Amino acid sequence: IADVGGRVICLSTANGEGNIFHDLWVGSQTATNRFVGIFFPWSAGERDQEWYEAKKRDLPDWQLAQEYPSDPDEAFIRSGRPVFDLEVLRSLEIVEPYRGYLHKMPGRGVYEFREDGGELAVWEFPQLGEVYVVGADVAEGLGYGDYSSAHVINASTGDLVAHWHGHIDADLFGEEALYALGWWYNKALVGVESNNHGLTTLKGLQRVGYKNLFRQRRLGQRNPTVSETLGWRTTSVSKPLAIDELSANIRDNALWVGCKETVAELRTFVREENGKMHGSPHDDRVMSLAIANQMLKYVWLPEYRSSDTVKSN
């Protein structure tokens, strides 16, 4: 009927991002569909600030944003029950990085950064004597769906210094991308999520001889010791812990994140009524950053420290 002159009217409250109503709204604002978006704030009727303050006292933050938003940004993001403090995320200084890739110099055993707009974003180049950690989240490597993602943090300053993000086969993610990234950043401690395809990535790193890989610790002992099991295992216990500690470090300025795309994923990372957490729609950047943040707790342990000199350009 609409194709021959009828009209379609879609009326709804927001319920987070990544759903069909949000897609329709974004399309109406970017002229990518034929809808005309009209937003009605809580103050559209005869409601005053006193009325709003009363509602604010009675409702949790996410429900207030869902039922009585002030603007579309608040309606879609806050109503999705965001895990991370949105005011803190808004206050972060976003810095445009260098973008390119790492090129291995033939016969020299060193890597050179070449700026060409590639998958690697760099805010701080490797500094001699600095200690770095890498957190990696592995996808299937298909040309759609989730991406593989890796964040690099300076362990001394807590600054995000680099971020790799793209579609790549799981074995090549280890053999090429993470190997180069780890070596370039002074043989950084690399923590790879070992769930599913992460095992393939870890095998790839082992095949090319990368040594400084995170290993799980035996917790059922008085003094937890390192095991031979490689990688960070995401479970129903470890995931909430990693996310909560990431949130706390960002809030307390112990971790600086200046990546626009990463902050965007943090903003849309939500907690469902049943307690499960996920991105809307993606969370690969959130998970790799959370794993990198976990690596900060282990990088100073003797088993992860190396006296070898790493050459980088």
Side-chain angles (χ1 to χ4, degrees):
I1 296 176
D3 289 341
V4 293
R7 292 189 300 168
V8 175
I9 299 174
C10 182
L11 178 66
S12 178
T13 54
N15 187 20
E17 294 190 340
N19 51 53
I20 187 171
F21 183 66
H22 177 250
D23 290 342
L24 292 174
W25 172 262
V26 172
S28 74
Q29 302 303 295
T30 58
T32 54
N33 62 31
R34 290 188 289 172
F35 281 94
V36 176
I38 302 174
F39 173 76
F40 295 97
W42 67 265
S43 55
E46 298 181 356
R47 301 162 177 168
D48 56 17
Q49 190 65 35
E50 183 179 353
W51 177 92
Y52 180 75
E53 292 298 327
K55 291 294 182 182
K56 190 174 182 179
R57 289 191 295 271
D58 294 338
L59 298 174
D61 184 68
W62 68 267
Q63 191 171 9
L64 181 74
Q66 175 178 285
E67 302 299 334
Y68 308 111
S70 300
D71 54 61
D73 188 50
E74 179 183 30
F76 285 105
I77 296 177
R78 283 189 179 277
S79 66
R81 294 179 177 167
V83 172
F84 297 91
D85 190 311
L86 297 181
E87 295 303 322
V88 171
L89 296 180
R90 287 194 183 100
S91 70
L92 294 175
E93 179 187 5
I94 302 300
V95 177
E96 189 63 29
Y98 300 98
R99 294 188 182 273
Y101 69 99
L102 292 177
H103 173 74
K104 188 173 184 179
M105 304 298 288
R108 295 178 57 193
V110 299
Y111 286 91
E112 177 184 75
F113 178 76
R114 296 189 174 179
E115 191 174 3
D116 73 339
E119 292 95 346
L120 178 60
V122 175
W123 289 269
E124 176 189 297
F125 290 88
Q127 303 296 314
L128 188 64
E130 291 289 352
V131 177
Y132 300 94
V133 298
V134 179
D137 180 69
V138 186
E140 293 184 40
L142 304 175
Y144 54 87
D146 280 349
Y147 292 79
S148 287
S149 174
H151 284 87
V152 186
I153 299 173
N154 184 321
S156 299
T157 65
D159 291 343
L160 173 66
V161 298
H163 176 223
W164 192 99
H165 190 259
H167 288 297
I168 188 172
D169 290 338
D171 57 338
L172 297 180
F173 187 39
E175 292 177 12
E176 298 179 2
L178 292 180
Y179 179 82
L181 201 57
W183 267 87
W184 199 50
Y185 278 100
N186 300 350
K187 287 186 179 179
L189 171 60
V190 177
V192 179
E193 184 180 38
S194 60
N195 302 48
N196 304 319
H197 301 279
L199 294 175
T200 303
T201 299
L202 286 164
K203 289 294 184 183
L205 278 162
Q206 285 185 301
R207 254 192 311 273
V208 292
Y210 198 87
K211 302 296 184 183
N212 202 15
L213 298 172
F214 174 75
R215 289 170 286 165
Q216 296 174 29
R217 304 183 73 78
R218 300 185 183 94
L219 300 179
Q221 303 174 3
R222 177 174 298 179
N223 297 310
T225 58
V226 68
S227 72
E228 295 304 314
T229 305
L230 293 173
W232 170 267
R233 184 73 178 172
T234 299
T235 67
S236 59
V237 175
S238 66
K239 183 176 180 177
L241 172 67
I243 294 300
D244 287 346
E245 292 185 352
L246 175 61
S247 178
N249 277 356
I250 294 175
R251 182 199 64 215
D252 298 338
N253 295 317
L255 179 64
W256 174 81
V257 182
C259 174
K260 179 176 66 175
E261 293 81 8
T262 298
V263 172
E265 281 198 12
L266 292 169
R267 284 162 58 93
T268 57
F269 193 76
V270 299
R271 181 181 282 107
E272 299 289 353
E273 290 185 24
N274 59 10
K276 292 185 177 181
M277 296 178 288
H278 61 84
S280 179
H282 300 295
D283 60 11
D284 39 89
R285 289 183 174 96
V286 175
M287 291 311 302
S288 62
L289 183 63
I291 294 170
N293 185 60
Q294 287 297 300
M295 295 302 102
L296 295 174
K297 299 192 295 185
Y298 302 100
V299 68
W300 305 107
L301 297 178
E303 60 259 32
Y304 297 124
R305 303 306 313 129
S306 170
S307 59
D308 294 343
T309 299
V310 178
K311 299 177 182 178
S312 60
N313 284 344

